[in-house]
Amino acid sequence: MAEVASAVQNKKTDKELYEYQQGAISQIFDKFETAPEDHHLLYQLPTGGGKTVIFSEMVRQYLKKHNKKVLVMTHRVELCRQTSEMLTSFGVTNKVVDSKADLDDQADYSCYVAMVETLNNRLNDDKLDISDVGLVIIDEAHYNSFTKLFKFFEKSFILGVTATPLSSNKELPMKGNYDELIVGETIESLIENDFLARAEVFQYDMGLTSLEIGSNGDYTVKSSEDLYSSPAMLEKLLKAYEKHSKGKKTLIFNNGINTSINVYHTFNAAGLPIMHLDNTATKKQRAQILKWFKETPDAILTSVSILTTGFDEPTIDTIILNRATKSLTLYYQMIGRGSRILNNKSKFTVIDLGNNMYRFGPWGADLDWQTIFKSPNFYVDRIQDDETIEGRFKHEMPEELREEFSKSEDVFFDIKQVYTDATSKGESSKVVLERSIAQHAKICIENSEDVYDALGLAKMLKDDIDQRIQTYAKCISRSTFNFVHWLKDDYKKKLNAYLRQNFDEVFEQIHGHPPVD
């Protein structure tokens, strides 16, 4: 921590590194000097900590001291280009091995930068000579697409770098491909010492039990689009933006192109400056959109996945997670896009519409990466499912509806607790709904002058009633669609009947006098 603190007074000029970055390079080279030549080392550093800077300086130093070559692997075209430019800025002449590369002059280079799939094709076709590659660096090493290439580098020192040393595939843990992990500075340390901005988070309790999990272990695009493209969810997103981030530069992450397009139309119809970007855009379109986003102070960009890596825009003020994910890596990558510091920017806003913070904990929490690396299943299996997360929610009325019940001190009714209390006394579960109806009737009568007012307020309680019935159905383990649908209709009929039969009596109990005719 002391090293990081002193580095604040030694900001980089040209290619001067911070002390914590120099310390990381020393640690890695110590391993390089003492470990076997085929050692596989993993290095973790948060997004924004300067992984590319660190390994670029490593390449420069390595080439000065060793008569062998270096290969840097990335998984995306943008990262390939950015890595090549960073290496060049460190004085490392390098050759990009892409699908169009002419390899006739490969002997003239001591450093190659390649995308994993292109490299795989070139190596299988025996088009690239890697016999004297002594150091292989893998960027975003948590992706499993790299592991198929390890067989070509059985005598090379492999260094993987990542912000999250947790495999994207539970069946292929990183400890199976790397011998050990070096953990870099924590997010909190980087924030405390002005290298990263602090996240101010606004969480919304979201009902996500309709989402389905696909073969990759994450939520499917189809189920996500069905939920997040609904008018209710689009309205919730718009209101969350207007409440917490209106006028701020905002990046929205979605799970699905159709959702992102619907977000675009919703915000555009509200007169807000927004553009949509997905992987179907041409290079020219992408460049134009990102240029507009950079130059427009209150710009909103709605996107799908492609801006999670290889995208650096320090002017972002707000990140909106308009999706849920089961991937810790994706969670950290998305929020990390807003953490870059710039001028006086010391904090940024995160709006979580996917229960992600409930699932993984706060961004920047002190995770034990060594334990996660060594026992990934133990960590993954402890991530709570949506039903458990949502079981702890305290349902709250939307603000506009709550204003209709302003004369009521409290409008919350804990179905789960009332059910527990009733069953522990040997009472029938039906009393839970009877007590709920009585409480709903009470708040309607508290805020009405006559029975017609009360019946009008009861109609507004549809969502509140739906939520209570869903909770009750789970309590009694009967949650078929037909049963829940019948229960909701029956509840509304009984609430209306209760109001008609008991309005005068309850009104007098509340106010001390009968209603005025």
Side-chain angles (χ1 to χ4, degrees), residues 152-307:
F152 293 106
F153 302 100
E154 291 180 350
K155 292 186 178 181
S156 300
F157 186 96
I158 293 180
L159 172 66
V161 294
T162 178
T164 50
L166 182 66
S167 172
S168 56
N169 185 334
K170 188 177 176 181
E171 305 303 317
L172 298 169
M174 299 199 77
K175 66 176 182 178
N177 291 303
Y178 291 90
D179 300 306
E180 65 177 313
L181 168 70
I182 291 178
V183 177
E185 295 298 324
T186 64
I187 288 176
E188 183 58 34
S189 170
L190 293 172
I191 291 170
E192 285 290 328
N193 292 286
D194 302 327
F195 292 102
L196 292 179
R198 188 174 295 281
E200 183 181 16
V201 183
F202 298 96
Q203 291 171 258
Y204 284 73
D205 293 348
M206 308 295 292
L208 303 177
T209 47
S210 66
L211 294 181
E212 297 172 0
I213 298 171
S215 57
N216 67 346
D218 209 347
Y219 299 107
T220 63
V221 171
K222 184 184 184 306
S223 67
S224 296
E225 295 216 299
D226 288 345
L227 178 64
Y228 282 91
S229 291
S230 68
M233 291 293 270
L234 290 167
E235 183 183 6
K236 181 170 277 195
L237 167 65
L238 180 60
K239 285 183 176 176
Y241 164 80
E242 289 177 335
K243 182 173 182 179
H244 301 293
S245 294
K246 189 157 189 181
K248 296 180 180 179
K249 183 167 294 188
T250 300
L251 177 58
I252 305 173
F253 287 104
N254 309 278
N255 189 17
I257 292 174
N258 291 330
T259 301
S260 187
I261 291 171
N262 281 319
V263 169
Y264 166 79
H265 288 304
T266 300
F267 277 63
N268 191 47
L272 295 165
I274 187 167
M275 295 193 83
H276 156 82
L277 181 63
D278 62 55
N279 59 7
T280 64
T282 64
K283 284 184 181 178
K284 185 177 179 182
Q285 288 170 330
R286 178 189 170 105
Q288 288 174 336
I289 290 170
L290 293 182
K291 183 173 185 289
W292 168 84
F293 186 59
K294 185 181 188 69
E295 295 174 355
T296 308
D298 58 348
I300 307 163
L301 183 57
T302 177
S303 67
V304 189
S305 299
I306 58 171
L307 299 179

Side-chain angles (χ1 to χ4, degrees), residues 396-412 443 446-447 460-461:
E396 293 184 3
M397 282 185 181
E399 287 179 21
E400 316 87 80
L401 181 59
R402 185 66 178 88
E403 287 172 10
E404 299 289 338
F405 295 88
S406 59
K407 293 178 183 176
S408 299
E409 189 175 328
D410 189 14
V411 295
F412 178 66
I443 64 172
E446 275 180 328
N447 294 276
M460 297 181 188
L461 291 171

Side-chain angles (χ1 to χ4, degrees), residues 49 114 120 125 134 153 164 193 212 231 240 247 284 293 300 314 356 381 385-386 437 444 449 489 501 514:
N120 188 48
D125 293 342
F153 302 100
T164 50
N193 292 286
E212 297 172 0
K284 185 177 179 182
F293 186 59
I300 307 163
N356 299 293
D381 292 341
D385 60 28
D386 294 315
I437 287 169
C444 288
E449 293 184 6
D489 283 345
Q501 292 166 14

Side-chain angles (χ1 to χ4, degrees), residues 7 9 56 61 87 100 103 126-128 136 155 162-163 215 228 273 278 329 348 366 436 445 456 461 501:
Q9 278 79 48
S56 294
Q61 291 187 27
L87 286 163
K100 299 173 184 175
L103 298 181
D126 206 21
K127 295 282 179 66
L128 183 68
V136 177
K155 292 186 178 181
T162 178
S215 57
Y228 282 91
D278 62 55
T329 296
F348 66 107
D366 190 14
S436 176
I445 295 169
L461 291 171
Q501 292 166 14

